[in-house]
Amino acid sequence: MTQSHVSSNPLRPQAAARHSRWTGGRIAAIVIGALLALMSLALLGAGGTALWADRTQRDGGYVTTGVHEFSTTGSALATVSTELGSAGIGWLYSPSLLDKVRIRVTPTDPGSALFVGIGPSTDVDRYLAGVNHTVITEFWEEKVETVAGGQPGSAPATQDFWVASDTGRGARNLEWDPTDGSWTVVVMNADGRPGINVGADLGARFPAVLWIALGVLIAGAVFLAGGGLLIAGAIRSRRASQASPK
């Protein structure tokens, strides 16, 4: 009786000894290149947005937001305090980057006489202490918080702490040269009575925004080119290694 054997081809020495051509250096180049490419996308997006805003969103020289609606049954609308020239991200709002700020407020009832003012936050807090008013905690998303209380003891225009203010019927345009400090914007009826319904937009002049946008775009392009070169170099190196004699 003949016993059959199943033959199998032994692994060739070359195949058994073959190692991956993705060395540690090439993998590192791929990873770093991908990270640079991702960073470049963020920089290009930010620079492109800034350039778009500078070229298309100017109104009378101001880069301007859309109109946001706010109302209160109390006697005032007040923003949270804005820190200019402070540590952390406060440098983004530094007066050195801002030329002039414009606050434009339009009442729903054009016959209403409005007061719009900017004052030191401590003075505004003292004036509105015990007054029923609404605090705008997030302008862009129109988020607000209500503070219970009564009516103010005096009309807003009688206070002497405002660094800029405007009073009258119809739309109010308040322009202000920003300085370091903690500031709060207040909108009230001129006589201090409760009930306010307005639309508001913010504008600012940024003399350096064009150059900042171009700088960010150039940085993004450099990062993208660097990442692409690293990835391409790693791939070419691997192909060359595969093509070399064994």
Side-chain angles (χ1 to χ4, degrees):
M1 182 174 179
T2 303
Q3 184 177 5
S4 61
H5 297 277
V6 179
S7 63
S8 60
N9 294 325
L11 290 176
R12 282 182 270 180
Q14 296 91 338
R18 183 177 298 168
H19 297 288
S20 171
R21 302 297 180 180
W22 287 109
T23 63
R26 291 168 190 155
I27 292 174
I30 291 287
V31 172
I32 295 172
L35 290 175
L36 289 176
L38 289 174
M39 291 175 63
S40 74
L41 293 178
L43 291 171
L44 291 172
T49 300
L51 188 61
W52 169 81
D54 181 67
R55 299 292 91 187
T56 67
Q57 300 302 298
R58 287 190 179 272
D59 178 5
Y62 290 89
V63 178
T64 308
T65 69
V67 176
H68 294 263
E69 305 290 334
F70 298 97
S71 64
T72 180
T73 57
S75 297
L77 288 166
T79 64
V80 292
S81 62
T82 299
E83 309 293 331
L84 297 184
S86 62
I89 64 171
W91 69 270
L92 292 171
Y93 307 98
S94 170
S96 63
L97 296 179
L98 297 175
D99 179 27
K100 192 180 288 289
V101 172
R102 183 185 68 190
I103 302 167
R104 185 163 50 191
V105 181
T106 304
T108 302
D109 178 6
S112 299
L114 283 181
F115 169 88
V116 183
I118 299 175
S121 296
T122 53
D123 292 323
V124 172
D125 291 343
R126 190 180 303 113
Y127 173 61
L128 294 179
V131 174
N132 183 4
H133 64 284
T134 295
V135 177
I136 301 171
T137 57
E138 176 53 63
F139 179 83
W140 313 103
E141 298 181 8
E142 301 179 6
K143 293 181 178 180
V144 298
E145 292 180 357
T146 301
V147 179
Q151 296 188 31
S154 57
T158 63
Q159 306 302 307
D160 60 6
F161 56 75
W162 307 108
V163 295
S165 63
D166 186 24
T167 305
R169 298 185 185 279
R172 300 289 91 204
N173 286 290
L174 178 61
E175 295 184 342
W176 175 55
D177 293 313
T179 57
D180 288 346
S182 178
W183 307 101
T184 298
V185 180
V186 176
V187 178
M188 300 178 67
N189 289 312
D191 57 6
R193 61 182 171 81
I196 304 169
N197 292 277
V198 297
D201 65 70
L202 303 178
R205 289 177 176 171
F206 296 93
V209 69
L210 176 60
W211 301 110
I212 292 173
L214 292 175
V216 173
L217 286 173
I218 291 171
V222 170
F223 276 47
L224 182 61
L229 288 174
L230 281 173
I231 294 172
I235 293 174
R236 282 199 304 268
S237 176
R238 180 177 182 274
R239 288 175 177 173
S241 176
Q242 286 179 319
S244 62
K246 310 232 176 2

